[in-house]
Amino acid sequence: MTDTSAYEPPKVWTWNKESGGRFASINRPIAGPTHDKELPVGRHPLQLYSLATPNGVKVTVMLEELLAAGHKGAEYDAWLIKIDGNQFGSGFVGVNPNSKIPALMDRSGKEPIRVFESGSILVYLAEKFGAFLPTDAKTRAETFSWLFWQMGAAPYLGGGFGHFYAYAPTKIEYAIDRFAMEVKRQLDVLDRRLADNEYLAGDVYTIADMAVWPWYGSLAKGLLYGGGEFLSVQDYKNVQRWTDAIAARPAVKRGRMVNRTWGEPSSQLHERHEASDFETKTQDKVGEQAAS
């Protein structure tokens, strides 16, 4: 259905009705907490508060990659924050005043350090552990360029294409066409880069890949917004090759499971506190325990 009704914006916008769509009940034009709720704190130095959306997966993949590389100080507790109003609790707003997942508290020093925004968390962890961020000037600059490309590009994919194609209460042809064109352009940007490079920064796997893959890797496999066929994602052969290579990494497989609340029960690890949780605390195992 195409919305052809005319809309004349008022001189001053006011919030007098829900916007409609899947997340209408939690959308609002003001910041700050709506209720008091303290955040739990586990025993590890790093406390992550998140959900396994693409932005959340970036950070859990990074943490699992750090642990796989031998950085024991990267042990973490991952607490589930559902985006159903829990992100407006006072404790979470204290860690991220923007009320978006993921948010990280580093309690390894004398004073806790909060870090919010997924790209910022990746950079913080890369610098803290000296990993997945090259030190030579050229590759480091390339890494940052692709990292910030993702920060600027993904809103067109999620808030643009994803919203109007999958979540908006009405199908608006102009909006869907506008954002589909932009997302296909982005896929072409990636495909051209990956034609001559194993990874985004060159021949090394970096935080740039960890940032881009949860969004565009999922898109390339038709897992985002049910839009794979619509966008002909199979045509981007180099993106497909890169996507498959990253998906095969053991740390990436683990990172995808953390704070996940959908899909096969065996793929869901609602909270992560120990490495052994991947073997004993996934939803299929928790269900078996509960039933016995």
Side-chain angles (χ1 to χ4, degrees):
M1 180 176 67
T2 300
D3 184 4
T4 58
S5 61
Y7 170 65
E8 184 68 28
K11 187 174 182 179
V12 177
W13 183 85
T14 57
W15 183 36
N16 56 18
K17 61 181 178 180
E18 287 189 352
S19 58
R22 179 174 172 181
F23 300 104
S25 63
I26 59 172
N27 289 335
R28 58 192 187 127
I30 54 176
T34 59
H35 58 283
D36 291 328
K37 185 176 183 180
E38 293 186 5
L39 290 175
V41 178
R43 69 181 184 87
H44 295 304
L46 301 175
Q47 300 293 303
L48 179 68
Y49 304 95
S50 191
L51 180 69
T53 65
N55 286 334
V57 168
K58 296 176 193 176
V59 178
T60 49
V61 164
M62 174 62 163
L63 289 166
E64 291 298 328
E65 290 282 14
L66 287 168
L67 290 170
H71 297 280
K72 295 182 179 179
E75 269 294 351
Y76 69 104
D77 292 278
W79 303 94
L80 179 63
I81 301 292
K82 294 183 179 180
I83 50 175
D84 56 2
N86 277 287
Q87 72 272 36
F88 300 121
S90 58
F92 188 77
V93 174
V95 181
N96 186 354
N98 196 37
S99 295
K100 304 287 185 181
I101 62 91
L104 179 75
M105 287 294 291
D106 182 356
R107 297 180 174 273
S108 62
K110 292 182 179 180
E111 295 185 5
I113 297 174
R114 76 177 188 184
V115 194
F116 59 92
E117 293 298 318
S118 58
S120 177
I121 296 173
L122 291 179
V123 173
Y124 178 83
L125 292 172
E127 292 183 336
K128 179 180 177 71
F129 293 101
F132 303 110
L133 180 57
T135 56
D136 68 283
K138 181 178 180 181
T139 314
R140 184 181 180 88
E142 197 73 26
T143 300
F144 278 125
S145 292
W146 286 105
L147 174 64
F148 285 97
W149 176 87
Q150 188 277 318
M151 301 299 146
Y156 291 96
L157 170 54
F161 174 76
H163 176 76
F164 287 105
Y165 184 79
Y167 300 143
T170 59
K171 303 298 184 187
I172 303 172
E173 182 178 1
Y174 171 81
I176 292 172
D177 284 352
R178 169 67 181 86
F179 289 111
M181 177 171 60
E182 172 59 15
V183 170
K184 286 183 70 66
R185 189 194 68 82
Q186 293 173 0
L187 285 168
D188 194 42
V189 169
L190 289 174
D191 206 59
R192 290 168 184 267
R193 173 61 181 172
L194 293 167
D196 301 314
N197 295 275
E198 185 175 2
Y199 299 106
L200 290 172
D203 60 358
V204 291
Y205 174 63
T206 70
I207 56 174
D209 301 288
M210 296 180 203
V212 175
W213 180 82
W215 281 102
Y216 293 88
S218 296
L219 180 68
K221 294 302 177 183
L223 302 177
L224 279 186
Y225 315 120
E229 182 179 6
F230 182 75
L231 295 171
S232 301
V233 294
Q234 71 281 353
D235 293 345
Y236 302 94
K237 303 300 185 184
N238 302 309
V239 175
Q240 293 289 342
R241 185 270 308 163
W242 168 83
T243 294
D244 291 341
I246 294 178
R249 297 177 66 91
V252 172
K253 293 179 181 179
R254 292 192 296 273
R256 287 188 66 196
M257 296 169 64
V258 179
N259 298 143
R260 185 179 177 89
T261 61
W262 56 88
E264 291 295 325
S266 60
S267 74
Q268 300 180 35
L269 183 62
H270 289 190
E271 292 184 0
R272 187 269 190 209
H273 303 290
E274 308 292 343
S276 60
D277 290 348
F278 291 102
E279 302 298 327
T280 62
K281 298 291 180 65
T282 53
Q283 282 305 105
D284 58 324
K285 302 290 177 54
V286 171
E288 289 174 6
Q289 293 171 6
S292 61

